Amino acid sequence: MLKQNIEEIKGTLERYPFPLEVIVEVSSYCNLNCVMCPQPKLTRPRGHMSNHTFEKIVDEMVKESPKSRIWPAIMGEPLLDPGIIKKLSYAGDAGIDIQLNTNAILVPAETAKKLVDCKVNTFYIGLDAMYKKTYDKIRLDGDFFLAVKHTIGLIEIAKESNSKVVVQLINMEENDAEVQNFIDFWTGLGAIVKIRPRLGWGQGVETSSLVLSESERDFPCPWITRTISIHWNGSIVQCDADWDDKDVLGNVNTITIKDIWDGELAKNRERHWNKDYNFGNCDKCKDWQAGKSYFYYPEE
């Protein structure tokens, strides 16, 4: 199993005046049912983010921190949002760095071209397996061959633009024997490969990857220090560990990201810097120890 890259993640930790990454749930619906995701356990209402809410987020990013990245992700497949192209075009035209997560099922060539035209900087394609048998155990309700076909097509289309394609494998017991083949195959096709350990989403799912004890912890959580999460209805939460809105800090439709970042979240971040993690969603969360993901690049 992957060894957590703890020392490298420590070197990336800083105090930021605004979140470096704004994680935005444009849709809380998903077309897959993956074993490493708590999406099926959602008790909060589901829906798609309005264009107004998304544009308000982008406008604030342009004003406060134009170098921050917007990351459509969290509990749904972004391409299920019928307004996704309009949203991404708005962010792209505003000069915001877009990092788009997708399972590639809904990315045929025509859609891939539209997404590239939206100025998506980086596509993160969640495949998590080299072979169909393994994929079917992990990405339930998915279509392995369709996802692979669409990913290969996206790689070719992205080569004609400034977009990058990152094919991701979340390392877990089901796919551990396939990691090197996965890296070799996808870098050979011109993609970047990302390997990271399976997370627990706070206490959302079980994971055997994160085994460090609290006594071994001497650094703040990377998620709390540089990200903020905004759900489809505008609810702002500390991070993705609060995927079910247990501790909502405000709503982006009535308060700014900056106000939340400088308010309650600032207090929480300082507690982490002072090695106090025993509160709220942080109390039993182990995702702090995931470390820095491993990236593998195609040869020039």
Side-chain angles (χ1 to χ4, degrees):
M1 294 291 288
L2 178 75
K3 181 180 180 181
Q4 289 99 296
N5 195 354
I6 298 294
E7 292 306 314
E8 276 201 47
I9 201 70
K10 290 181 183 179
T12 69
L13 301 178
E14 299 179 26
R15 286 178 167 86
Y16 295 100
F18 191 87
L20 183 65
E21 295 171 342
V22 180
I23 319 298
V24 179
E25 179 187 79
V26 294
S27 178
S28 61
Y29 294 103
C30 194
N31 51 341
L32 271 62
N33 182 14
C34 302
V35 299
M36 66 288 188
C37 179
Q39 208 270 357
K41 299 179 182 179
L42 277 181
T43 62
R44 59 182 169 92
R46 299 174 189 261
H48 305 303
M49 181 173 283
S50 71
N51 289 334
H52 171 78
T53 300
F54 187 86
E55 290 172 10
K56 186 175 186 298
I57 294 167
V58 171
D59 292 346
E60 183 177 354
M61 293 176 68
V62 170
K63 176 185 175 183
E64 298 287 352
S65 183
K67 292 186 178 180
S68 290
R69 298 183 285 268
I70 195 165
W71 204 307
I74 312 183
M75 284 289 101
E77 165 55 51
L79 296 184
L80 285 174
D81 173 15
I84 188 63
I85 298 299
K86 183 175 181 180
K87 290 182 175 71
L88 296 182
S89 293
Y90 189 85
D93 289 345
I96 294 296
D97 184 334
I98 305 169
Q99 310 280 304
L100 179 66
N101 273 33
T102 177
N103 55 46
I105 299 296
L106 302 175
V107 192
E110 180 180 357
T111 301
K113 291 175 183 176
K114 290 180 181 179
L115 293 171
V116 167
D117 288 343
C118 291
K119 303 185 183 73
V120 173
N121 183 287
T122 309
F123 295 90
Y124 286 84
I125 311 297
L127 290 182
D128 301 312
M130 182 64 209
Y131 307 110
K132 182 181 185 301
K133 182 177 180 180
T134 308
Y135 179 94
D136 290 345
K137 293 177 181 178
I138 296 172
R139 292 194 158 260
L140 309 182
D141 301 325
D143 185 325
F144 175 73
F145 294 117
L146 185 62
V148 168
K149 176 184 176 181
H150 287 173
T151 302
I152 292 172
L154 177 60
I155 292 169
E156 292 304 311
I157 291 169
K159 287 178 180 178
E160 306 301 319
S161 71
N162 293 321
S163 298
K164 298 183 289 291
V165 178
V166 178
V167 186
Q168 178 174 276
L169 181 142
I170 298 173
N171 188 210
M172 58 189 95
E173 293 176 0
E174 292 89 341
N175 61 23
D176 191 49
E178 303 175 12
V179 172
Q180 191 57 56
N181 286 346
F182 187 90
I183 294 169
D184 293 342
F185 179 79
W186 287 108
T187 56
L189 289 177
I192 301 167
V193 170
K194 177 183 178 182
I195 310 291
R196 70 166 176 83
R198 177 172 173 169
L199 302 178
W201 289 86
Q203 299 179 65
V205 294
E206 294 294 327
T207 177
S208 60
S209 302
L210 310 178
V211 296
L212 299 181
S213 67
E214 284 294 321
S215 63
E216 298 176 82
R217 185 176 189 181
D218 62 353
F219 61 96
C221 178
W223 306 108
I224 195 175
T225 55
R226 62 184 179 219
T227 75
I228 196 168
S229 296
I230 305 174
H231 295 157
W232 71 270
N233 62 352
S235 293
I236 303 172
V237 295
Q238 176 175 285
C239 64
D240 284 359
D242 193 2
W243 47 272
D244 205 25
D245 271 1
K246 299 303 182 186
D247 186 19
V248 176
L249 303 170
N251 192 292
V252 75
N253 290 301
T254 57
I255 194 170
T256 67
I257 298 170
K258 180 69 170 171
D259 283 341
I260 294 293
W261 187 254
D262 290 343
E264 194 65 27
L265 286 186
K267 298 175 185 177
N268 291 352
R269 291 195 304 277
E270 283 307 308
R271 291 181 72 170
H272 270 238
W273 285 109
N274 292 321
K275 302 180 183 180
D276 173 13
Y277 321 109
N278 297 316
F279 61 92
N281 289 297
C282 303
D283 188 21
K284 296 180 181 179
C285 180
K286 295 183 178 181
D287 291 346
W288 59 269
Q289 61 185 271
K292 192 173 186 297
S293 297
Y294 291 88
F295 287 87
Y296 302 86
Y297 297 85
E299 295 183 6
E300 295 295 336

